[in-house]
Every structure is written in structure tokens, then in C-alpha cells.
Amino acid sequence: MKTDARAGITLIEILIAISLLSLLTVGMMMAMRIGFNTMEKTDNHLVRNRRVANAHKILENEIAGFMFTRAEFRPRPEVFQVVPFTQWEAHSMRFVTSYSLEAAWRGRPQIAAFQVIPGDGGIGVRLIVNETPWTGQAQAGQMVASVEADHVRFAAIVPGSGSFVLADRLAYCRFSYLQQITDPPFRMWRPDWILPMLPLGIRIEMAPLDEGPSELHASTITTFFPVNRDVGANYDDQ
């Protein structure tokens, strides 16, 4: 039986085959990397949009769950004064709400304290909220700094590890409050609220630092001001 001396695979053919396989592998890896990068960018885009939408919903629910409460302010142990527990300022809001981040509408009333603070590196601003379970008028009174001519001044809202960032990288964020007046247009927005009655509505004005056309941006929220119930009789003695 004779053997053909030309049968078999040459070294050049092996090198060509390996080169082609390597190019095919590199092409597949590049395609997979591009696909994973695109998926990651899409996920991040959806997460940012969902965060903005959720922040709007949280703000609306916190305000919708507003509950009128009072604070027992004690400048001295033997002296106390009962005052409304509501803080309405241009960059701070504080009140009791039946809605909470942890339990939604199912938990105990919470003291919701909203504050506009500087962003990372002093770039822009961010909106945070601190939630504290409501336990009664005495607890709320510890957050009152002073009472001057029926105007309640509150202690500063301090960000901490438990603060929840509702909106970040904002060009500005400010609160305003709707007042009914006797002259046209019969309503006006105030940057603060020190009147004895409650405002008709609340506006939270926000604008993003980045104006990407494909992003869902934080925008102004305007909502009427509801009053659900007074929790004083239910929780002050607990």
C-alpha cells in the first residue's frame, strides 16, 4: 500500500486557521462587549428615569398624606406652649404625613422633613427628606427652636446617613405656597408661609443641571394641599 507524501496539513494552513479563528473570536468578543455596554447604558437610563418618576410620586404622596398636628414647645420645664407643627419655607418643609418611604400608606405617621442642600462638590443642589416616626406633641416640640409673635421657628434639618435623596444634580429647587387674596388674580405664590391658616397648594420648582434630550428630568410639581385628619388625639398619648 502506497502513502501519498503530499497528504496532511501544512504549518501555513494551521497558522491561517488559527488566525481566522482568533479574528472570529475577537469579533464575537467585541460584539458581546458592545451589546453589554449598550444594555448597561439602557439599564442606567431606565433607572434614572424611574428614579425621577418615583421621586415625583413620593413627593405627591407625602403631601397627600399631610396630617395637621401640634407641637408642645417648652422654653423652660415649667412653661409650655402648643403650636402648629408645620414648617413652610423656601428651602425647607416639615410636617406629619401618613405616607412613609418604608411602609407607604400602611405604617404609622411620620415626620417628613424636606431640605434643599448643596450637591456633591458644591455643584448644583439636591433635595433630601428625613423621616422620623411621629410619637406625639412632646417629641415635635423638641424640633421647635423658638416661638416669636405666633411665628414658629424650627431647628435646622440636618442631612445624615438616613436621609433619602429625592432629586440630585439640580440647577435649583425651591418651595412656594399658594395664598388666596382678594384682588385679581385672587391667588399668589409665596416663598414662605407664616399665616395661621394652611396654604391652598404647594409648588416644588426643580430644574436639572443636565439637559439631555433623552432623559426624564426633574420638573416642577404643583399639588393642592389636602388635610386628612388630626393625629393629635390618636397618637399624642402613645
Side-chain angles (χ1 to χ4, degrees), residues 195-211:
L195 302 177
M197 74 285 291
L198 293 172
L200 298 178
I202 296 177
R203 174 180 292 169
I204 305 173
E205 298 178 82
M206 296 181 286
L209 279 175
D210 307 318
E211 292 285 354

Side-chain angles (χ1 to χ4, degrees), residues 1-22:
M1 184 177 188
K2 295 183 178 181
T3 303
D4 189 352
R6 295 174 297 176
I9 301 175
T10 65
L11 180 60
I12 297 298
E13 291 173 333
I14 294 176
L15 292 176
I16 293 174
I18 293 175
S19 299
L20 291 175
L21 181 61
S22 300

Side-chain angles (χ1 to χ4, degrees), residues 12 14 23 27 57 72 84 89 91 98 100 103 107 113 116 118 123 134 148 155 179 186 191-192 196-197 207 225 230:
I12 297 298
I14 294 176
L23 291 173
K57 194 65 177 178
E72 188 178 282
E89 298 176 3
H91 296 100
S98 59
S100 67
V116 180
I123 301 175
W134 162 268
E148 304 172 3
Q179 177 186 2
F186 304 110
D192 57 7
M197 74 285 291
F225 198 81
D230 186 338

Side-chain angles (χ1 to χ4, degrees), residues 31-87:
M32 292 177 61
R33 183 175 182 83
I34 292 173
F36 284 133
N37 288 341
T38 301
M39 184 175 65
E40 183 178 0
K41 290 180 180 178
T42 302
D43 287 343
N44 292 338
H45 175 76
L46 292 175
V47 166
R48 288 193 296 268
N49 286 350
R50 193 177 297 117
R51 185 176 299 164
V52 171
N54 288 343
H56 280 217
K57 194 65 177 178
I58 289 171
L59 287 167
E60 291 172 352
N61 287 340
E62 296 271 16
I63 297 172
F66 171 82
M67 307 170 76
F68 182 77
T69 54
R70 302 169 182 83
E72 188 178 282
F73 174 59
R74 289 183 175 271
R76 296 188 301 275
E78 68 279 4
V79 177
F80 73 92
Q81 183 178 357
V82 177
V83 295
F85 185 65
T86 53
Q87 179 182 4

